[in-house]
Amino acid sequence: MRAKHAARPHRARRTSDRTTALSITNPATGAVVLRIAADGPREVAARYATARAAQPRWAATPLRRRLATIAKFRELVVARTETLAHTLTQEVGKPIRQSRNELKGLLARLDFFLDASTRALREEKVFADAAQKLDERITHEPLGVIANISAWNYPYFVGSNVFVPALVAGNAVLYKPSEFATLTGRHIADLMHAAGVPEDVFVPVLGGGATGAALLRQPVDGVFFTGSYATGAKIAASAGKRMIKVQLELGGKDPVYVCDDVDVAATAAAVADGAFYNTGQSCCSVERIYVHEAIYTPFVDAFVAEVERYRIGDPTDEATYIGAITRRPQLDVLRRQVQDARRKGARVALGGSPIKRKGNWFAPTVLTDVDHSMLVMREESFGPIIGIQAVADDAAAIDLMNDTEYGLTAGVYTHDAARARRVLAHVNAGSVYWNCCDRVSPRLPWSGVKHSGMGLTLSTMGIQTFTRPKAWHLKT
Ligand code: NAD
């Protein structure tokens, strides 16, 4: 296996400090798919030097030519969708239909970047005065060489949010996919290079946390991270003194509030999908549900009936909706949250434990009669478990929605537009949803408050974020 890996140029060098092995395991079966050597400090430093040398030439390449490589990348993704989807399913345990959906969603993001980048990056004339003979302008300069340290749960989404606009804006990118999505990271790099992005401009760096830490020791001009709050805090501390741009897209404990005027069955189905899609392993999965007490019991019944219908099992099966848990240690987090909730008086309406089969599996779990003393309502679960709590009114719902260290997304379901706006105006989150949830749009900024992160991706602001503004004061 190692020999197969060594045939590729960006992984070919063998050095004494390249000792860490990276095992790629299928989480649905526990089988080892591939073992490769992780990039050690020496490889990382060499890749940095290569990218630093190449970046000015890339920045000088006309924008339309940089965009043409992204258009070509899109074509290659379309042509290879089935292979890419199967690799993703194999290494993260995502149901195959959801892997295809992610690739379809990637195309929509690429379309947005292809459409919006020229406008976002153009030189702006902000003031001109003939009497003063003064002209003021803003240009958007690339940051230089950036590090993109990424997560595994939606590797195409969270990766492309960063590396596509970063490349388009003229940066070189050192891209470290998650060690749990290494094969997908390799596919992305291969397609980028085949599309015409030079190998020294989009540079994959493969490995786990130690490789990420080695990457951070390079004098990069920006760090764009997607992952957990725990790692994000370390990254912020390590980059803090260097005065470089740091963006952190972190976890969430995203609430939904269901008002008393909804269609109960339809809302239960929509919110259950928001909680359990991607086996609950989405940063914007619904993680807490508050239901107006007037409809609490029928809502719980409809919700449980919906989740009972989900097909669990082999992620390569077209009918599967609940797949494997990608990271094995997460099973302990889920088990601990259920035990804690039970001990404090919650009722397990469905599931409640790991499923005994090869690989990493946890039964879709619905906990009712929960409250905020319980870990399941406070800590990110990142798996197929959810707590449902009754609330007396909108004010109580708002208080509970804001009672969190996180602030990524929040949603409300009601027929009443004014009521929705009133609730959402008081919720402290980067994205708010009315009658929808677990949703990302490339046209809107994606950001979090508090422990959900800082900075933003997507929207035209998420293109400009990969540049620094240069202010031009021009007197004739
Ligand atoms: P993680 O923090 O374990 O790892 C993320 C990345 O950081 C990986 O590439 C890992 O190798 C690297 N890393 C680990 N230790 C490091 C260190 N000391 N220095 C440098 N790099 C290091 O997170 P994960 O398990 O990959 O992802 C799950 C988390 O990501 C969840 O909390 C989820 O909510 C969050 N997430 C957030 C968003 C968002 O847009 N806000 C999107 C997806 C996932």
Side-chain angles (χ1 to χ4, degrees), residues 216 223 225 229-242 246 248 250 454:
L216 287 178
V223 178
F225 171 77
Y229 166 72
T231 312
K234 283 188 209 159
I235 287 181
S238 122
K241 284 190 183 154
R242 286 152 57 184
V246 179
L248 306 168
L250 310 177
M454 57 191 209

Side-chain angles (χ1 to χ4, degrees), residues 150 152-153 176 179 212 225-228 231 250-251 283 380 446:
S150 206
W152 48 265
N153 61 331
K176 198 198 87 56
E179 59 273 40
F225 171 77
T226 310
S228 62
T231 312
L250 310 177
C283 54
E380 189 176 40
W446 183 246

Side-chain angles (χ1 to χ4, degrees), residues 148-154 158 161 176-180 207-216 225-232 234-235 238 248-252 281-284 287 327 330 380 382 406 408 440 446-448 452-453 457:
N148 174 200
I149 299 178
S150 206
W152 48 265
N153 61 331
Y154 281 100
V158 298
N161 289 358
K176 198 198 87 56
S178 164
E179 59 273 40
F180 298 98
T211 305
L215 179 52
L216 287 178
F225 171 77
T226 310
S228 62
Y229 166 72
T231 312
K234 283 188 209 159
I235 287 181
S238 122
L248 306 168
E249 305 216 321
L250 310 177
Q281 301 173 112
S282 309
C283 54
C284 52
E287 288 247 341
R327 292 178 61 253
Q330 200 63 21
E380 189 176 40
F382 222 60
Y406 291 102
L408 192 58
V440 179
W446 183 246
S447 69
S452 291
T457 52

Side-chain angles (χ1 to χ4, degrees), residues 63 99 236 304 344 364 409 452:
L63 175 58
S99 291
V304 169
K344 291 173 180 162
T409 81
S452 291

